[in-house]
């Protein structure tokens, strides 16, 4: 491996930094190593949210510049290809870090000397570096120095995690990977057919990475080595007050041994291993930072080494995950110990208001975990108009709907777009007597009816009582058949002023799913009766989506008019009409009224709301 402490003549070079939408700037360095990241302490600081705290490292060794990604969330790209190992960069190559593009500039003839310098052998990766039948070479070399020869029992083998079978991707001396280039730095490729982003697309490459796997194996060696020294039971219950002090020198010793192993990946530093191991042994591992990250709304653990998070409607992989099944078990125990009353061992209420659903695993099935945070966005309708989510006419119509206590259903994908509109409508209400309804819906600071805690009968009773209180408004997330049936029946019984949200890709699909869920929860109702129940419950339905340019738009506002045959009928009130795709990929279009004056206008006027019919006039044809 390349030793960060190897001696080399420090070159004088400049890094040209171009920020998306901004001007270029230059910073000059005379060093053999610099780190790039979001926070102070990095030689090159790029303060943007899609740049990790410690994002990448640039080394100068043997006449060459080498860039390495430091397990960042959004990855590092060279010439629009994601790198998963140390990669040689030359003058003129573009390094993508979040919203920034970096270039190296050398004075005078230094560039020629840089190109002609022969590469070191260890930079030219070969398929032999990847084991196709067992663990990474890191495990084979470093484990000998960490484990005594007699420690080969079944429990130790199980704690070390499963062997990985990797198919080595083709490599070249340039170390270029074959992953897709990003449409924008730190972003995600878009589906050009539908105009939406790939749901579930992660920031790491789909192909296995030797270096990421090696980091997990290296971390496992440190964590399990410390557990063996102090006893695994030390970390399975309440932690002793003196444990951090006893643990620190052990972690330093083990991490230094692993990091100095010849086959250790270039980006594995001893300090980094100590930090990660300390988090697993004393805290919640990768979950700690994700719970504290307000941008992460959902966290999922598919298995111990596969952790994903949802940020801004996008699913990203978190690297590294847990080092072993045992480490994930420690985190689950600590979540249970910190959970509030009112939950169960499988459904936890966390102090932040988040909900954690636990699958403990067993019978060969790995444990898994889902954490859902209660996201509350401080938005208003005026803010959505400024962002281009809705038009001024739509905002006026929505305000009258709120004043007239019209029942509104919002439909949108799992990308955060429907939550924005729901939050803006709740935030624009003139009174604050709002009750949130759903499964994992609100922290303790708000009034909520959570169908995921306690029994369904208790939740329905609470809904019945609160729906009889004058002036109360409901904001509901229709996430389960029980919630959907209870809220829809409440609305159909005469309760008004309800704002409901349902995840679906279109209004038609959303109504179909709601009808199916009500029929499943109420077997005595026929399918036609469920459709009529829905058509009579909600007055206005809004479809919202995140387009391929990452901007949120309300695509349709419709009024439900009844049931015809096997479908719920509706008429358009407002629509968004895409016009063209501008330079840079921005989707431009217009919000247009359909020319139909909705029937709800008469009901609003009967309540004393003066709403001009001209608001719904169709614009003149161009």
């Amino acid at each position: 491996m390349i030793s960060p402490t190897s001696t080399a003549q420090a070159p004088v070079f400049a890094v040209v930094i171009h920020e998306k939408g901004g001007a270029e700037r230059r910073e000059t360095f005379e060093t053999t190593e610099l780190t790039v990241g979001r926070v102070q302490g990095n030689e090159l600081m790029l303060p943007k949210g899609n740049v990790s705290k410690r994002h990448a490292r640039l080394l100068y060794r043997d006449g060459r510049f080498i860039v390495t990604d430091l397990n960042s969330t959004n990855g590092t790209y060279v010439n629009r290809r994601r790198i998963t190992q140390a990669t040689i960069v030359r003058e003129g190559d573009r390094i993508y870090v979040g919203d920034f593009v970096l270039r190296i500039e050398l004075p005078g003839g230094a560039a020629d000397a840089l190109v002609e310098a022969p590469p070191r052998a260890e930079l030219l990766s070969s398929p032999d570096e990847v084991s196709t039948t067992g663990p990474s070479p890191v495990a084979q070399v470093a484990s000998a120095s960490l484990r005594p020869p007699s420690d080969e029992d079944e429990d130790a083998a199980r704690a070390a995690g499963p062997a990985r079978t990797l198919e080595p991707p083709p490599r070249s001396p340039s170390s270029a990977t074959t992953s897709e280039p990003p449409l924008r730095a730190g972003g995600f490729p878009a589906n050009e057919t539908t105009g939406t982003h790939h749901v579930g697309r992660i920031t790491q490459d789909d192909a296995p990475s030797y270096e990421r796997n090696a980091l997990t194996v290296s971390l496992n060696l440190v964590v399990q080595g410390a557990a063996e020294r102090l006893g695994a039971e030390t970390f399975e219950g309440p932690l002793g007050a003196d444990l951090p002090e006893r643990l620190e020198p052990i972690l330093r010793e083990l991490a230094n041994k692993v990091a100095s192993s010849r086959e250790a990946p270039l980006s594995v530093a001893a300090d980094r291993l100590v930090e990660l191991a300390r988090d697993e042994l004393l805290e919640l591992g990768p979950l700690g930072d994700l719970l504290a990250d307000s941008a992460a709304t959902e966290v999922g653990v598919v298995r111990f080494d596969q952790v994903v998070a949802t940020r801004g409607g996008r699913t990203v992989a978190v690297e590294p995950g847990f080092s072993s099944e045992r480490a994930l078990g420690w985190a689950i125990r600590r979540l249970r110990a910190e959970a509030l009353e009112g939950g169960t061992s499988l459904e936890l209420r966390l102090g932040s208001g988040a909900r954690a659903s636990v699958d403990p695993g067993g019978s060969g099935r790995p444990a898994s975990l889902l954490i859902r945070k209660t996201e509350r966005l401080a938005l208003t309708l005026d803010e959505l108009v400024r962002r281009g989510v809705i038009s001024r006419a739509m905002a006026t119509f929505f305000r009258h709907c709120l004043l007239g206590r019209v029942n509104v259903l919002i439909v949108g994908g799992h990308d955060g777009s429907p939550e924005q509109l729901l939050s803006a409508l709740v935030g624009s209400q003139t009174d604050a007597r709002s009750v949130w309804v759903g499964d994992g819906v609100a922290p303790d600071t708000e009034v909520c009816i959570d169908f995921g805690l306690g029994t369904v009968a208790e939740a329905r009773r609470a809904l019945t009582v609160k729906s009889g209180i004058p002036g109360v408004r409901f904001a509901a997330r229709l996430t389960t058949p029980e919630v959907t049936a209870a809220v829809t029946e409440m609305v159909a019984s005469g309760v008004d002023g309800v704002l409901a949200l349902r995840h679906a890709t279109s209004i038609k699909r959303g109504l179909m799913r709601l009808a199916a869920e009500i029929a499943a929860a109420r077997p005595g109702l026929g399918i036609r009766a469920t459709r009529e129940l829905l058509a009579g419950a909600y007055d206005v339905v809004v479809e919202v989506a995140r387009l391929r340019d990452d901007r949120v738009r309300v695509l349709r506002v419709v009024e439900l008019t009844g049931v015809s045959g096997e479908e719920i009928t509706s008429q358009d009130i407002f629509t968004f009409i895409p016009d063209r795709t501008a330079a840079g990929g921005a989707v431009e279009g217009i919000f247009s009224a359909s020319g139909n004056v909705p029937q709800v206008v008469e009901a609003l006027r009967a309540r004393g709301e003066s709403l001009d019919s001209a608001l719904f006039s169709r614009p003149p044809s161009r």
Side-chain angles (χ1 to χ4, degrees), residues 272-289:
R272 175 69 169 153
L273 286 175
V274 169
E275 178 186 355
L276 294 172
R278 189 189 300 120
D279 285 346
E280 284 201 1
L281 291 163
L282 302 178
E283 303 292 342
L284 297 173
L287 302 182
D289 288 341

Side-chain angles (χ1 to χ4, degrees), residues 199-285:
V199 177
R201 181 63 183 256
I202 62 177
T203 56
Q204 302 291 356
D205 295 327
D206 294 334
S209 163
Y210 157 69
E211 188 152 334
R212 290 200 305 273
N213 180 56
L215 175 61
T216 300
V217 174
S218 300
L219 175 60
N220 182 59
L221 290 171
V222 177
V223 170
Q224 301 307 330
E228 290 167 8
R229 297 264 190 103
L230 296 174
E233 66 279 359
T234 304
F235 305 97
E236 293 176 355
L239 303 178
D242 64 338
L243 182 57
E245 184 178 353
R246 294 163 51 205
L247 179 64
E248 194 68 18
I250 297 175
L251 293 182
R252 292 287 174 190
E253 176 191 345
L254 297 175
N256 285 330
K257 286 183 179 179
V258 172
S260 62
S261 170
R262 182 174 176 274
E263 278 77 15
L266 295 173
S267 62
V268 174
D271 288 346
R272 175 69 169 153
L273 286 175
V274 169
E275 178 186 355
L276 294 172
R278 189 189 300 120
D279 285 346
E280 284 201 1
L281 291 163
L282 302 178
E283 303 292 342
L284 297 173

Side-chain angles (χ1 to χ4, degrees), residues 337-402:
E338 298 171 2
L340 303 176
E341 294 182 359
T344 68
S345 62
L346 302 181
E347 294 291 331
L348 312 177
R349 296 178 62 203
L350 306 183
S352 62
R355 283 277 306 282
S357 300
V358 179
D359 173 15
S363 302
R365 186 180 74 255
S368 58
L369 178 70
L370 172 63
I371 298 175
R372 290 165 293 178
K373 297 183 183 179
T374 52
E375 185 181 18
R376 293 289 176 267
L377 304 174
L379 293 174
T380 63
L381 292 174
D382 286 336
E383 176 63 24
L384 295 191
V385 172
R386 286 192 291 270
R387 294 185 182 187
V389 177
I390 59 177
S391 66
R392 181 64 62 184
M394 287 180 180
T396 301
F397 176 64
F398 288 147
R399 285 194 185 91
H400 282 279
C401 287
L402 292 174

Side-chain angles (χ1 to χ4, degrees), residues 293-367:
D293 184 357
S294 59
T297 55
E298 290 186 345
V299 180
V301 182
V302 183
R303 47 172 267 170
F304 71 87
D305 57 349
Q306 297 177 18
V307 181
V308 296
T310 301
R311 289 189 179 96
R314 301 288 177 266
T315 301
V316 298
V318 179
E319 298 287 353
F322 289 93
S323 64
S324 68
E325 188 81 7
R326 176 189 286 174
L328 173 58
W330 291 336
I332 291 175
R333 288 189 187 93
R334 289 162 191 164
L335 286 174
R336 284 174 174 158
E338 298 171 2
L340 303 176
E341 294 182 359
T344 68
S345 62
L346 302 181
E347 294 291 331
L348 312 177
R349 296 178 62 203
L350 306 183
S352 62
R355 283 277 306 282
S357 300
V358 179
D359 173 15
S363 302
R365 186 180 74 255

